Amino acid sequence: MTKTILLKNRPKGRPTTSDFEFVTEDNDPKISDGELLLETTYVSVDPYLRGRMSDAKSYVPPFELNKPIQSGVIAKVVASKNSKFNEGDFVSGMLDWKTKQVSNGEGLLKVDGNKAPLSAYLGILGMTGMTAYLGLNEIGKPKAGETLVVSGAAGAVGSVVGQIGKILGLRVIGVAGTDEKIEMLKSKFGFDAGINYNTTKDIKGAIAEAAPNGVDIYFDNVGGPISDALLFNINKFARIVICGAISVYNETELPKSISVQPFLVKNSALMQGFIVSNYSDKFPEAMKHLSGWLSEEKLTYSETIVDGFDNIPNAFIDLFDGKNKGKMIVKI
Ligand code: NAP
């Protein structure tokens, strides 16, 4: 039996479970020469998938209606007619939300569960880890002694950005949505300070207090009012890495953010959008550092693992309520 999740409707605002459709087929897919049969083990749910559910031009094409949704997946090779892969191998790749599927092997990477837990290849050793490392280094250009603020700090990308900041000798301040997350930022990930944006009335003042020397780098995962407040605290030559804007992904009207230009001009500051796939030539370098720091225990990570294929849509929707600490992953 094979289960598949299709995009049924383009969400209007916040996605709901009725935007997804489950389809069940009785027979296992058959493979031909050169192909593999894959059984899904872990599925990554990510905020950027929300963008692909809309019919809007972006850096990746939208998902098609009534077709399977795709994301980062770890799968086991259960049958192979492709000489590059053996039965029993585990692979990672952009694959369909299906319990079983056929692949020709293109775009798949073998992953080794003896070197790291398989789920880590969807997080710290996967796309979100690469995003943290490359976004911070390539655009943030950190220098020891500087101050870094990270929003979405307790999530998959943010928690790694903050830890890399500490490894590189920065003062690191995280913004996240609960006191429990703020406590985790400080005790588990070594952040110097944290701000709970849900309970802090004056975020601009709270940033000023946590960053007495001003902010040199802002790693922005959320956009919206948190990022507006940050602009009042930037230093001359500050670098603002626009990695994501989850606070506006479900907006149906144009957001009413403040004008960034005066802040950038006054401070000779840089603001640049970041897309991890633009830096694929640097993935080996990022992987080398991330896996090295992990094995030296300079870096750690959190995962929120949800059980069961049927819970993929809910796990995805829960990202918008901050139900995850670290990487949100579904175990099949
Ligand atoms: P994540 O941070 O693990 O999960 C999303 C988090 O966003 C939630 O846990 C929640 O935490 C926070 N959030 C939700 N609604 C919010 C709101 N209205 N205001 C403030 N925070 C809100 O997700 P991720 O995979 O690490 O991704 C983080 C960001 O990076 C996303 O914007 C994503 O699109 C972006 N990203 C970009 C790239 C790229 O190449 N550009 C690659 C990967 C990810 P709280 O409890 O703190 O609210």
Side-chain angles (χ1 to χ4, degrees):
M1 188 182 77
T2 303
K3 281 189 188 176
T4 306
I5 304 174
L6 312 176
L7 181 65
K8 189 173 168 202
N9 306 304
R10 300 209 178 276
K12 294 192 177 61
R14 191 189 145 85
T16 66
T17 47
S18 62
D19 294 323
F20 305 92
E21 183 175 9
F22 284 79
V23 177
T24 304
E25 290 152 278
D26 285 338
N27 297 324
D28 277 358
K30 299 270 176 286
I31 56 171
S32 311
D33 279 349
E35 291 182 335
L36 321 164
L37 180 62
L38 300 173
E39 198 171 72
T40 299
T41 313
Y42 291 103
V43 173
S44 175
V45 288
D46 302 270
Y48 80 89
L49 299 171
R50 174 65 185 83
R52 294 196 68 190
M53 291 173 191
S54 297
D55 190 14
K57 188 172 175 279
S58 186
Y59 59 96
V60 269
F63 291 122
E64 286 180 54
L65 283 177
N66 304 312
K67 293 271 173 67
I69 295 174
Q70 285 195 328
S71 68
V73 164
I74 304 290
K76 185 176 182 180
V77 178
V78 291
S80 176
K81 291 187 180 175
N82 179 316
S83 58
K84 292 190 190 136
F85 297 90
N86 295 317
E87 208 180 298
D89 285 347
F90 283 92
V91 294
S92 86
M94 285 297 289
L95 292 165
D96 290 349
W97 284 4
K98 271 176 174 276
T99 51
K100 288 183 189 149
Q101 59 199 293
V102 175
S103 161
N104 62 7
E106 247 174 65
L108 297 183
L109 275 182
K110 281 191 205 178
V111 290
D112 185 347
N114 294 316
K115 288 196 178 147
L118 289 170
S119 56
Y121 295 98
L122 293 178
I124 191 137
L125 296 177
M127 189 272 284
T128 55
M130 304 289 152
T131 298
Y133 179 92
L134 293 166
L136 181 61
N137 283 299
E138 297 296 319
I139 298 178
K141 301 209 185 306
K143 292 189 267 307
E146 289 189 324
T147 297
L148 162 70
V149 174
V150 189
S151 57
V157 173
S159 58
V160 179
V161 170
Q163 291 182 82
I164 298 174
K166 287 312 299 174
I167 292 170
L168 300 178
L170 309 182
R171 175 170 175 78
V172 178
I173 299 147
V175 184
T178 66
D179 286 346
E180 202 189 337
K181 288 186 179 184
I182 298 299
E183 182 47 38
M184 176 182 78
L185 293 182
K186 294 192 274 191
S187 59
K188 179 165 181 169
F189 298 126
F191 283 52
D192 297 291
I195 297 166
N196 177 347
Y197 71 89
N198 280 315
T199 55
T200 304
K201 279 208 183 84
D202 175 15
I203 296 180
K204 174 177 146 189
I207 296 170
E209 199 176 311
N213 297 325
V215 177
D216 301 295
I217 307 171
Y218 174 44
F219 195 105
D220 189 3
N221 284 311
V222 305
I226 296 169
S227 303
D228 287 352
L230 187 284
L231 286 168
F232 291 88
N233 291 289
I234 57 174
N235 286 337
K236 191 170 182 191
F237 299 126
R239 285 83 68 201
I240 301 175
V241 186
I242 306 294
C243 176
I246 192 168
S247 77
V248 297
Y249 289 172
N250 292 327
E251 290 291 322
T252 48
E253 312 220 329
L254 275 183
K256 294 186 180 62
S257 285
I258 58 173
S259 220
V260 298
Q261 290 84 348
F263 295 93
L264 301 184
V265 171
K266 265 193 286 183
N267 295 291
S268 306
L270 171 87
M271 179 181 263
Q272 188 178 338
F274 170 84
I275 297 294
V276 66
S277 53
N278 291 341
Y279 296 85
S280 53
D281 58 322
K282 303 222 156 126
F283 287 178
E285 172 201 323
M287 188 69 165
K288 190 179 117 206
H289 282 99
L290 292 166
S291 52
W293 288 328
L294 262 181
S295 63
E296 293 164 28
E297 295 183 2
K298 289 183 176 167
L299 203 57
T300 185
Y301 61 98
S302 280
E303 293 173 329
T304 298
I305 300 207
V306 172
D307 256 315
F309 186 81
D310 293 357
N311 289 321
I312 295 173
N314 275 323
F316 166 67
I317 293 165
D318 281 350
L319 289 168
F320 298 95
D321 288 330
K323 298 263 177 76
N324 58 310
K325 288 194 205 113
K327 181 77 193 91
M328 182 77 109
I329 290 172
V330 182
K331 184 172 190 290
I332 310 307

